[in-house]
């Protein structure tokens, strides 16, 4: 995993997203932000199309998937998750507006964050991802419980395209039928919605 793709897609003179080559000076860790090591974050990103970006801290980067319909606690729903470029750890708490015309132009909030771990007995995360199946346990503020990420197309094809995965909640105590991410729109970091961020409103005290 590495970050040249992340850098090559962005013009850091125009986007407020973090440039990992210049250190993480933009957003000092807030007390509520999960400590480094085993974190996950999900950004709600209104780009050309709305999607949610699931990011898992693995080996010093944020391995990332774009989930068009958003994650869910509903175990009967299989959500498409398109693997995208690894993001730097400094992206973790990013909220802001990426200008129109730039890669991913649109507004971004921290929709959920917390900790994740491989399910007991699961190989280490990098190995599991290469094998195309990662069973994980998530402890976030909105999402909880067991999930599985399963790659749906073969490795050879995935090397040439953006690999497609399915994100599925397991049938466990945290499962909730009919649960929809769109019913929970506020940022866990700032209390803002995407509309608030787009309008330049400040973080709400919580
Ligand atoms: Mn995105």
């Amino acid at each position: 995993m590495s970050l040249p793709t992340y850098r090559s897609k962005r013009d850091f003179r125009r986007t407020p997203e973090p440039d990992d080559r210049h250190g993480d000076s933009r957003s000092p860790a807030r007390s509520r932000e999960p400590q480094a090591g085993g974190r996950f974050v999900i950004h709600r990103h209104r780009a050309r199309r709305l999607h949610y970006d699931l990011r898992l801290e693995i080996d010093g980067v944020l391995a990332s998937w774009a989930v068009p319909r958003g994650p869910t606690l509903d175990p009967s729903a299989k959500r498409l998750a398109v693997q995208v470029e690894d993001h730097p750890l400094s992206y973790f708490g990013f909220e802001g507006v990426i200008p129109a015309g730039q890669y991913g132009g649109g507004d971004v909030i921290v929709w959920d964050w917390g900790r994740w771990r491989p399910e007991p007995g699961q190989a280490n995360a990098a190995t599991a991802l290469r094998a195309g199946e990662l069973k994980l346990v998530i402890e976030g503020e909105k999402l909880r419980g067991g999930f599985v990420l399963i790659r749906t197309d073969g490795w050879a094809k995935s090397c040439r395209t953006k690999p497609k995965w399915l994100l599925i909640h397991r049938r466990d105590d945290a499962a909730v039928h009919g649960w929809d991410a769109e019913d929970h729109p506020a940022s866990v970091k700032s209390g803002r919605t995407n509309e608030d961020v787009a309008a330049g409103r400040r973080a709400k005290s919580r």
Side-chain angles (χ1 to χ4, degrees), residues 10 17 43-47 49 51-53 55 65-66 84 87 91 98 103-104 108:
R10 290 171 175 80
E17 296 167 290
H43 291 105
R44 185 174 186 272
H45 183 184
R46 291 194 305 176
R49 282 185 175 172
H51 60 276
Y52 291 70
D53 290 298
R55 310 190 196 281
W65 291 260
V84 297
H87 280 47
Y91 209 93
I98 302 167
Y103 176 69
V108 178

